[in-house]
Amino acid sequence: MASVQAGTVHIDQASSALCQLLELRSADLSGMPIKLRLSGSPSDCDQTEAALNAAMAEGRPMRCRLALTDRYGTDIPMAARVEPLPGRTQAVLLLESAQQRARTDQSTSLAALSHDLRAPLRVVDGFARIVLEDYGDKLDQVGRDHLNRIASAAVRLNLMLDKVLELEQLERSQLAAESIDLSALVRACAEEMASQYGQASFQIEEGLRVRADKLLMRRAIENLVGNALKYSSRSKEPLVIFRSERQGELLTYVVEDNGVGFDMRFADRLFGLFQRLHSANEFGGTGVGLTTVRSIIQRHGGRIWAESTPGQGARFYFTLWEGGTH
C-alpha cells in the first residue's frame, strides 16, 4: 500500500515480492520514500498523469507503465495497477517488473527444457547399459570404455540439469536476512566436509557476524570451503583459512587455500556457468558451484572475486551489503 506524491511513493506496507525486488526488509521499507516516474514520452506521461488523477478522484482502478528506482539507483520498468482506497488519498500499487516476468518466463523455459532433455538422456543411458550387459563380452576393452563414457556423460548431463534448475530456484527464493555467526557457519561446514577430502587443517577467524539469509549463506560457504578442500587435497598439508580484512571502509571476507591455484589470465571464467579451469578428470564437479556463490553474494548486495598463482593456492574475496546495511 502506498501514497503517491510528486513522483515519490511512501510505503506503508510492502509485499514479500517488493522486498525481494528491492533487497530490503519489510521493516526497512515501512515509511521509506521510493522514487517512481511514469514511462513514455513527455506528452504520454502528461496524459497518463491526468488520467491517473481522474481515476484517483473517481475511485476507480487504472493500469499504467512506471519506472521504479531501486536502492542502487537502477530504474526498473514496471507494469502497475493503481487501485484507489475508498475515502482516502492513498492507493494500492500492484507492481510487476520486467525482471519478474523474465524470471517467470525463464523458469518455465528451463523446466520445459529439462523435461524435454531428460527423456532422450534416459534412452542414451539405458541403451548404453543394455549393450554393455548383453553384448559386452563381444566387445574389446576399447568398445566397453566407449560405452561406459557414453553412459557416464548422460548421467553427468542429467546432474548438470539438476544444478541449473536448483540455481534458478535459488535466484527466485525469498531472502530472509537475519544476524548470523559467519565464523561458526564456516566452522560447521568445514567439519562436515573435511572427511570427504582426508586430513586438512583450518584457521578460522572467530567472532565474525553478518546479516544474511542463513540457508543461502550456508550454500555459498559450502561451495567455497568445498572448493578450497578439493583443490588443496593433493597438498602435503592441506590448509583452509577463513579471515576478514578491511579495505578502506569496506570489510572483506576471505576463503584461502594452499592448493593447485589457477592462472589469473582465466579468472574471468571462474564464475561462469559450466566454466572450469581444471578438467573433470583432475577434479570432479559440475561447473555450477561458483556461479551459485556469485548469485548468493550479489543477492546480499556484495561482490566476489578471486586471486591466485598456479601451485600457490587461491584466495576468494567477498563483500556483503556494499550499498548499506540490511
Side-chain angles (χ1 to χ4, degrees), residues 229-238 259-260 281-283:
L229 287 168
K230 176 168 61 177
Y231 292 111
S232 63
S233 60
R234 297 180 183 177
S235 302
K236 290 183 179 180
E237 297 180 353
V260 296
N281 292 330
E282 290 182 283
F283 298 97

Side-chain angles (χ1 to χ4, degrees), residues 140-158:
D140 60 13
Q141 187 59 46
V142 174
R144 289 192 292 273
D145 287 345
H146 287 338
L147 285 171
N148 277 319
R149 289 188 178 188
I150 292 172
S152 296
V155 171
R156 190 164 63 252
L157 183 53
N158 202 46

